[in-house]
Amino acid sequence: MARRILHADMDAFYAAVEELDHPEWKDVPLVVGADPRKGQGRGVVSTCNYIARKFGIRSAMPVSRAYSLCPEAVFVPPRMDRYIEFSEQIMEIFSRYSPAIEPLSLDEAFLDCSGTERLFGNDESLGKQIKADVRRETRLTVSIGISAIKFVAKIASDLRKPDGLVVVAPGTEKDFLAPLPVERLWGAGPRTCKQLKDSGIFTIGDIAMREPSRLPGAGRGKHWQHLMALARAEDPRGVQPHRERKSIGEERTFGKDLFESEALRLALLKLCRELSYRVRKTGFRGRTITLKFRYTGFETHTRSRTVAMPVITETGLRALALQLWEEIDKTRDGRSIRLLGVQISHAESESQPDLFSTEFLEPEPVANAGSKKTDRANYSSANSSADSQASRNRGGKKNQNDGYSRSDSILEEGKNLARDQKLEYTMDQINEKYGQKLQRGIQ
């Protein structure tokens, strides 16, 4: 059975959602990203609509540069909760056409639709049905590429944006790739592309026809072997429905460098609030917390801590982040900070952890690249409420007077964690219904 892989990519997703909620922005340049502050702002463009792209604005561009290109554009901050809401609806539509879905981000995914010809017709019919469902149910547009080869499907989806549909028939992949510029290859970054062009190689077809020995570096190494295989339309990879997310994070570039410890602490807690919401919505489970901070002058550092139990509540995330921040604050010597970020990584499973499993009784040391030492603290030391502090201080050892044991501590921690989860999910439901009017206090 021939493979039929589909890559679906929403068109200017964040900007398109903003245009739905604000129709008055539909016919003007719209940029989703940091506040440009009349050209003095910091941070980058998350995305922009196609009108703004005509002025040369692109994703990841410094927002100050975007403002200089189009001062009359409308600049709005990202609203991740709204984008996640649409993403869930879009992924549900995709699931009607295949159970094998590999999300790459909120707004794009691979689908393995092999063997569905009787259900949905030929490739063009399949693509049109999905596009129609997305437009009817979300009022958004999606561009789709279809091929028997995974990376060819991804390239195809980008060629006729917005609202495009490109089908690459089996056996025509090399001809399809040949005239495309080398920048289209996965893994061909600016440095690689410069090396290729300096060698007189400008298209994917040029790479496919060259002898390996005539490529930069004589074509040696896994990187060049990978590029040569792709140029020849050789990509055996399939759709990975359970592709595990490696990390999830939030960061903010401040409009003005922050110096005061309390202002930075409050900024960190707000980032924890935003990140914990995404954790609850995505089901991500990670055990390593990393703080990223950038001083005035762009000197950037990270500090990490790995704990035994996955961080799944805002309570736990805030406590761990504050522990790291206190260490940073003591050593920054009064230097101002331009950017602050918090990330959760070291995912083991997206399933709910068993709070009473012996797996979590003794924390494991885990190497962490963000700091010079490994933290062996149990998750409970940062996530517990004040009423269980005394029992934790006893270290979980048997007390002859009150019969306290370590299993009692784990049971109490489990109750506290379940309480926090219930509270946070309830707050999410209220906020999603009434427009983010309920917020947890920042302390």
Side-chain angles (χ1 to χ4, degrees):
M1 179 178 66
R3 294 198 308 176
R4 177 154 75 158
I5 296 177
L6 181 149
H7 181 259
D9 190 8
M10 301 301 294
D11 299 318
F13 181 52
Y14 293 0
V17 171
E18 296 297 340
E19 289 176 353
L20 282 182
D21 291 346
H22 301 275
E24 68 274 17
W25 294 343
K26 200 162 189 176
D27 298 319
V28 301
L30 175 64
V31 178
V32 179
D35 183 351
R37 297 181 182 273
K38 296 184 178 181
Q40 301 303 310
R42 278 134 6 133
V44 299
V45 173
S46 293
T47 193
C48 60
N49 65 5
Y50 288 93
I51 299 175
R53 296 182 191 194
K54 293 179 181 178
F55 291 86
I57 300 174
R58 294 290 183 270
S59 299
M61 173 183 288
V63 72
S64 56
R65 172 64 177 160
Y67 182 85
S68 68
L69 291 171
C70 187
E72 64 270 27
V74 175
F75 290 81
V76 297
R79 296 182 298 154
M80 292 307 302
D81 55 338
R82 186 66 168 145
Y83 308 147
I84 290 172
E85 180 183 336
F86 272 90
S87 178
E88 290 175 343
Q89 190 176 1
I90 292 161
M91 295 301 166
E92 191 279 326
I93 294 172
F94 293 165
S95 70
R96 302 172 197 169
Y97 292 88
S98 174
I101 302 174
E102 180 183 340
L104 300 181
S105 63
L106 292 179
D107 63 331
E108 66 172 315
F110 284 109
L111 287 72
D112 189 340
C113 298
S114 305
T116 62
E117 286 79 6
R118 286 191 176 185
L119 290 172
F120 309 120
N122 62 22
D123 292 345
E124 186 171 354
S125 174
L126 169 66
K128 286 181 177 179
Q129 289 178 63
I130 296 176
K131 287 167 62 65
D133 282 356
V134 170
R135 182 187 288 274
R136 182 178 61 254
E137 298 180 35
T138 69
R139 294 179 292 156
L140 300 173
T141 62
V142 58
S143 292
I144 290 176
I146 303 177
S147 172
I149 296 175
K150 190 175 183 179
F151 100 98
V152 173
K154 182 169 174 62
I155 290 177
S157 70
D158 193 49
L159 288 185
R160 294 180 188 166
K161 276 183 163 288
D163 201 18
L165 173 59
V166 176
V167 175
V168 183
T172 68
E173 294 88 359
K174 289 184 180 179
D175 291 338
F176 168 78
L177 293 172
L180 300 178
V182 292
E183 286 85 357
R184 292 280 182 181
L185 281 176
W186 278 356
R191 181 180 177 184
T192 296
C193 290
K194 184 179 185 305
Q195 289 179 304
L196 289 169
K197 291 178 179 179
D198 288 347
S199 300
I201 299 171
F202 299 92
T203 68
I204 296 177
D206 291 340
I207 298 177
M209 292 187 297
R210 283 284 182 105
E211 289 293 326
S213 60
R214 297 182 58 203
L215 290 172
R220 297 191 184 95
K222 292 183 179 180
H223 177 64
W224 290 109
Q225 292 173 7
H226 169 72
L227 292 181
M228 285 187 288
L230 293 184
R232 295 166 183 164
E234 298 169 1
D235 182 15
R237 293 172 296 180
V239 174
Q240 302 174 27
H242 304 293
R243 185 174 181 263
E244 188 172 326
R245 182 195 291 266
K246 297 185 182 299
S247 65
I248 185 171
E250 291 282 345
E251 65 179 44
R252 196 76 71 245
T253 300
F254 305 122
K256 180 180 179 181
D257 293 355
L258 296 184
F259 168 77
E260 296 293 338
S261 294
E262 184 61 18
L264 285 160
R265 179 177 173 275
L266 289 175
L268 175 60
L269 291 177
K270 290 177 182 178
L271 286 171
C272 288
R273 175 193 296 157
E274 296 170 8
L275 179 55
S276 65
Y277 177 77
R278 291 181 61 197
V279 166
R280 292 190 294 276
K281 297 299 286 186
T282 61
F284 183 79
R285 300 291 182 261
R287 299 197 294 113
T288 297
I289 305 299
T290 301
L291 291 195
K292 175 183 176 182
F293 55 103
R294 178 172 296 154
Y295 291 119
T296 302
F298 291 88
E299 182 184 330
T300 305
H301 300 271
T302 61
R303 295 290 184 273
S304 298
R305 175 161 294 169
T306 298
V307 292
M309 187 181 291
V311 181
I312 58 177
T313 67
E314 183 178 344
T315 301
L317 176 59
R318 285 165 31 139
L320 288 165
L322 285 174
Q323 287 180 4
L324 285 170
W325 168 246
E326 288 172 3
E327 297 173 4
I328 295 167
D329 200 30
K330 291 175 183 177
T331 59
R332 66 185 176 100
D333 298 325
R335 300 172 68 183
S336 296
I337 290 182
R338 171 189 178 94
L339 173 147
L340 193 61
V342 58
Q343 180 190 77
I344 301 176
S345 60
H346 191 198
E348 293 187 335
S349 171
E350 293 191 356
S351 61
Q352 181 71 22
D354 180 356
L355 299 178
F356 308 107
S357 169
T358 55
E359 175 185 356
F360 297 122
L361 290 181
E362 293 293 340
E364 297 176 353
V366 180
N368 94 53
S371 64
K372 295 181 179 178
K373 62 181 181 180
T374 298
D375 189 276
R376 298 172 59 95
N378 190 290
Y379 174 84
S380 62
S381 69
N383 192 44
S384 304
S385 59
D387 58 4
S388 62
Q389 183 67 46
S391 64
R392 286 204 317 279
N393 290 340
R394 287 195 287 267
K397 297 179 180 178
K398 180 75 175 181
N399 186 303
Q400 298 296 330
N401 296 325
D402 58 12
Y404 173 82
S405 67
R406 182 160 188 160
S407 61
D408 294 331
S409 174
I410 294 174
L411 179 61
E412 187 168 2
E413 299 304 341
K415 291 179 180 178
N416 291 335
L417 184 55
R419 176 204 62 199
D420 290 337
Q421 283 185 286
K422 184 176 181 180
L423 170 64
E424 292 170 14
Y425 277 108
T426 300
M427 291 176 65
D428 287 344
Q429 292 173 343
I430 295 172
N431 281 328
E432 288 166 5
K433 184 174 182 179
Y434 295 105
Q436 303 298 320
K437 293 183 179 180
L438 181 64
Q439 290 189 353
R440 189 172 183 176
I442 299 294
Q443 301 174 353

